[in-house]
């Protein structure tokens, strides 16, 4: 088992936290091997933000730290689709936050999965800062590449106490989207 995951968005959307949670959940709680790399623009908010993860069942499968052909991609801002489409494979599963206008996907031969993560976070929690956790729950709920329990434990480890419960609720909302409840 080996997955290349690409997570992109704008600064302030929690892309880096989402990547750290995925990596910790995979390595610490699912006993998988992980490499990761993150990059972000100099702006505090609004610049491009990116997390690359490679999750594998054996150390031999980790041949590079950056995504070269994403099996799974999460776009928290669809404006970045064009910029990062060269990192998608024909068989990629592409999750997109449909809260934002999507002009043209400009990508072919991928499975596109859309949900309004930001709008749902605003509606349910009155806080768009947890849209990343809604997206993470949706992704995990559909793909089941890691367990729900491993993600929740990683949230406990990485998120400060004042945000922990809200992040877990948002994650569970994403799981409900995946199950078809919403």
């Amino acid at each position: 088992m080996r997955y290349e995951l690409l997570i992109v968005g704008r600064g302030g959307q929690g892309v880096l936290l989402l990547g750290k949670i995925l990596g910790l959940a995979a390595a610490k709680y699912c006993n998988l091997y992980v490499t990761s790399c993150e990059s972000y623009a100099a702006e505090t908010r609004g610049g491009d933000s990116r997390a690359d993860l490679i999750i594998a069942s054996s150390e031999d499968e980790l041949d590079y730290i950056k995504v070269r052909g994403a099996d799974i991609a999460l776009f928290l801002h669809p404006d970045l689709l064009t910029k990062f489409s060269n990192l998608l494979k024909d068989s990629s599963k592409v999750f997109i936050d449909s809260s934002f206008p999507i002009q043209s996907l400009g990508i072919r031969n991928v499975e596109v999965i859309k949900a309004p993560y930001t709008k749902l976070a605003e509606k349910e929690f009155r806080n768009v800062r947890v849209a990343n956790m809604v997206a993470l729950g949706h992704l995990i709920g559909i793909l089941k590449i890691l367990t729900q329990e491993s993600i929740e434990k990683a949230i406990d480890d990485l998120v400060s106490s004042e945000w922990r419960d809200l992040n877990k609720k948002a994650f569970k909302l994403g799981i409900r989207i995946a199950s078809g409840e919403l």
Side-chain angles (χ1 to χ4, degrees):
M1 183 271 306
R2 181 180 186 280
Y3 297 106
E4 290 190 27
L5 289 94
L6 174 67
I7 305 158
V8 293
R10 299 280 187 208
Q13 288 189 296
V15 167
L16 304 183
L17 176 62
L18 196 158
K20 288 176 184 175
I21 289 170
L22 271 171
L24 183 66
K28 185 175 181 180
Y29 297 111
C30 293
N31 295 316
L32 297 169
Y33 294 87
V34 179
T35 63
S36 67
C37 181
E38 57 188 41
S39 62
Y40 50 90
E43 299 92 344
T44 303
R45 298 215 180 279
D48 294 352
S49 188
R50 170 180 168 182
D52 295 44
L53 289 100
I54 300 171
I55 299 173
S57 54
S58 77
E59 190 175 3
D60 296 336
E61 294 174 292
L62 299 177
D63 58 347
Y64 197 61
I65 62 168
K66 291 184 89 171
V67 168
R68 292 180 284 186
D71 299 292
I72 302 159
L74 171 59
F75 289 89
L76 291 175
H77 205 290
D79 282 355
L80 299 170
L81 277 164
T82 305
K83 182 174 183 176
F84 293 101
S85 64
N86 63 317
L87 295 174
L88 302 176
K89 297 196 295 193
D90 282 347
S91 59
S92 295
K93 293 187 182 341
V94 179
F95 291 78
I96 300 171
D97 187 342
S98 61
S99 301
F100 304 98
I102 301 172
Q103 301 298 331
S104 169
L105 293 181
I107 51 177
R108 296 186 195 117
N109 302 322
V110 299
E111 181 182 347
V112 175
I113 303 156
K114 296 187 275 188
Y117 308 126
T118 302
K119 284 182 181 177
L120 287 168
E122 175 67 31
K123 179 182 175 194
E124 295 291 320
F125 308 112
R126 296 188 176 182
N127 194 327
V128 298
R129 291 180 64 186
V130 293
N132 61 338
M133 292 299 112
V134 177
L136 178 58
H138 189 220
L139 186 147
I140 293 297
I142 288 179
L143 301 179
K144 301 183 185 345
I145 59 172
L146 301 174
T147 65
Q148 182 175 341
E149 180 184 42
S150 69
I151 298 292
E152 290 179 14
K153 286 180 179 180
I155 290 171
D156 285 338
D157 289 349
L158 293 171
V159 176
S160 64
S161 59
E162 67 264 17
W163 285 94
R164 198 171 294 142
D165 288 340
L166 182 60
N167 274 263
K168 284 184 178 180
K169 287 177 184 174
F171 173 69
K172 289 176 183 174
L173 176 64
I175 296 284
R176 288 180 36 222
I177 296 167
S179 70
E181 289 182 43
L182 292 176

